[in-house]
């Protein structure tokens, strides 16, 4: 089943700081902060929310179509996507811009500070889902420019397309009415516990009201697992065991891909959540966001190792 993944595509520049951010931040000077970190590792990787989600979806046997805007320096990334049989039909080139880039610094406790240069992403609001000709099983609206996300929400609603809404770090850039509009017809709403709470406060709604508004609400809790909620049930998902924690960047995107891969197959929500957890640890164990790999058999074996239940993909 086809899935359209709307979001960013870009290059990730990931740096490792061998100390702790907390040791460098003085609370009484937080209003006038000026910091620089001497890092001991730098890597350039293919990234962006749409690219990260699509990459893991493909590993799990789902056909993702990325919908994004890129710049003149995208060719190496395009070749990478083609090598992994990920279509680029709806990746649009803007030659007068550079592809967006994320710059992140991670300390030894996996806390991260980052910034994103939007580059060609400024053109995403000019694009539309009307050009998509494949049948669509789900639209994933992951972080891109807020004005573009709102536009694609409205297109999904007009076309009656089911969509997963993932506002993430863009939450503060939406008005309350835009957030409510997006949630009111979403099939799935996903975010970490901080993001879910931020939405509740911005909308002045209780958590129960949010659950009543969206059929499926997924709250990720980092190493503590995740919670999947519907009107009638609350499912706690235990985090899968990682062999190491090389780099947390992209774990949330891999989680989303794992959940979507189960959901599109009609698998029960508890299993979807466990699949999401397994997908997340694969990327945590590798430096970078699209450097992990697995076969479907390896994925199912690891699922059994963690949850003692069989999974067939």
């Amino acid at each position: 089943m086809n899935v359209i993944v709307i979001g960013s595509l870009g290059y990730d520049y990931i740096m490792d700081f061998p100390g702790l951010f907390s040791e460098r931040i003085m609370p009484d000077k937080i209003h006038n902060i000026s910091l620089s970190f001497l890092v001991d590792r730098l890597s350039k990787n293919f990234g962006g929310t749409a690219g990260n989600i699509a990459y893991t979806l493909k590993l799990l046997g789902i056909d993702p179509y990325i919908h994004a805007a890129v710049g003149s320096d995208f060719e190496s990334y395009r070749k990478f996507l083609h090598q992994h049989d990920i279509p680029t039909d709806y990746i649009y080139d803007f030659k007068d811009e550079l592809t967006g880039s994320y710059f992140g610094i991670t300390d030894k406790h996996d806390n991260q500070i980052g910034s994103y240069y939007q580059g060609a992403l400024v053109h995403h609001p000019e694009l539309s889902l009307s050009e998509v000709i494949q049948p669509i099983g789900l639209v994933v609206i992951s972080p891109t420019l807020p004005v573009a996300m709102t536009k694609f929400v409205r297109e999904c609603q007009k076309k009656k397309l089911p969509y997963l809404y993932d506002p993430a770090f863009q939450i503060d850039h939406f008005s309350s009415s835009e957030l409510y509009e997006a949630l009111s017809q979403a099939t799935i709403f996903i975010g970490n516990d901080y993001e879910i709470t931020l939405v509740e406060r911005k909308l002045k709604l209780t958590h129960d009201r949010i659950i009543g508004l969206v059929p499926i609400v997924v709250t990720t809790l980092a190493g503590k697992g995740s919670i999947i909620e519907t009107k009638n049930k609350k499912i706690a998902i235990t985090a899968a065991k990682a062999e190491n924690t090389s780099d947390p960047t992209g774990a949330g995107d891999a989680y989303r891909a794992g959940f979507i891969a189960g959901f599109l197959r009609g698998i029960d929500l508890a299993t979807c959540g466990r699949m999401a957890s397994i997908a997340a640890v694969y990327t945590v164990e590798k430096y970078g966001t699209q450097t992990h790999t697995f076969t479907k058999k390896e994925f199912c074996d690891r699922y059994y190792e963690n949850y003692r239940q069989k999974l067939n993909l």
Side-chain angles (χ1 to χ4, degrees):
M1 186 176 292
N2 297 319
V3 56
I4 303 296
V5 185
I6 294 171
S8 62
L9 281 175
Y11 295 103
D12 287 348
Y13 296 84
I14 308 299
M15 294 158 275
D16 279 356
F17 173 53
L20 292 173
F21 296 144
S22 59
E23 296 173 346
R24 302 290 298 277
I25 298 173
M26 296 182 288
D28 59 326
K29 298 293 184 181
I30 198 73
H31 63 287
N32 191 29
I33 195 167
S34 179
L35 292 173
S36 178
F37 301 98
L38 186 64
V39 299
D40 57 12
R41 185 174 181 180
L42 167 67
S43 69
K44 179 182 178 182
N45 300 285
F46 301 125
T49 54
N52 296 342
I53 293 170
Y55 176 81
T56 299
L57 278 172
K58 190 65 181 183
L59 291 176
L60 289 166
I62 300 296
D63 293 323
Y65 286 84
I66 298 172
H67 193 286
V70 299
S72 58
D73 57 342
F74 189 70
E75 195 54 33
S76 61
Y77 200 156
R78 190 187 308 277
K79 289 179 180 178
F80 173 82
L81 294 173
H82 287 166
Q83 288 168 0
H84 290 84
D85 296 321
I86 298 174
T88 59
D89 306 47
Y90 307 115
I91 297 175
Y92 299 87
D93 297 286
F94 294 88
K95 297 300 184 184
D96 57 339
E97 303 281 0
L98 292 174
T99 302
S101 294
Y102 175 73
F103 301 85
I105 303 175
T106 303
D107 73 6
K108 65 180 182 181
H109 281 179
D110 290 335
N111 299 302
Q112 191 172 87
I113 297 174
S115 60
Y116 187 82
Y117 168 67
Q118 56 190 10
L121 207 64
V122 297
H123 296 286
H124 210 173
E126 303 167 17
L127 307 178
S128 172
L129 289 173
S130 61
E131 298 178 3
V132 177
I133 60 175
Q134 288 79 8
I136 301 172
L138 181 71
V139 177
V140 178
I141 303 177
S142 69
T144 177
L145 288 192
V147 64
M149 294 177 70
T150 298
K151 176 180 181 177
F152 296 129
V153 161
R154 290 170 180 167
E155 286 193 349
C156 286
Q157 293 175 349
K158 184 177 180 179
K159 295 175 181 293
K160 300 188 183 304
L161 296 172
Y163 64 92
L164 178 152
Y165 188 59
D166 177 19
F169 48 81
Q170 300 289 31
I171 291 169
D172 274 333
H173 297 284
F174 294 107
S175 67
S176 296
S177 60
E178 287 171 334
L179 276 176
Y180 187 88
E181 177 187 11
L183 292 177
S184 66
Q185 294 185 49
T187 301
I188 304 167
F189 170 39
I190 187 168
N192 61 37
D193 53 342
Y194 178 87
E195 293 161 352
I196 299 291
T197 300
L198 186 59
V199 168
E200 292 167 0
R201 291 180 179 179
K202 189 153 188 172
L203 295 181
K204 298 180 180 179
L205 295 177
T206 65
H207 188 68
D208 286 344
R209 182 70 182 89
I210 294 291
I211 295 169
L213 191 63
V214 187
I216 302 169
V217 177
V218 182
T219 306
T220 60
L221 305 169
K224 296 181 181 179
S226 57
I227 298 172
I228 302 168
E229 295 172 283
T230 68
K231 287 182 180 179
N232 302 316
K233 65 177 66 174
K234 179 176 181 179
I235 306 166
I237 304 297
T238 304
K241 296 178 181 178
E243 294 176 359
N244 65 75
T245 53
S246 177
D247 177 18
T249 310
D253 294 332
Y255 180 100
R256 285 149 176 75
F259 186 91
I260 294 163
F263 180 79
L264 289 176
R265 288 181 168 93
I267 296 174
D268 66 274
L269 292 179
T271 302
C272 289
R274 297 185 191 110
M275 287 177 63
S277 187
I278 295 294
V281 295
Y282 270 107
T283 191
V284 165
E285 293 168 353
K286 295 290 185 180
Y287 203 83
T289 54
Q290 296 176 41
T291 52
H292 58 288
T293 186
F294 53 78
T295 65
K296 285 192 284 186
K297 182 182 183 304
E298 288 170 340
F299 187 91
C300 292
D301 288 345
R302 191 156 190 187
Y303 184 98
Y304 182 80
E305 290 171 5
N306 276 268
Y307 300 112
R308 294 301 167 186
Q309 294 179 5
K310 288 186 177 180
L311 175 69
N312 295 309
L313 295 180

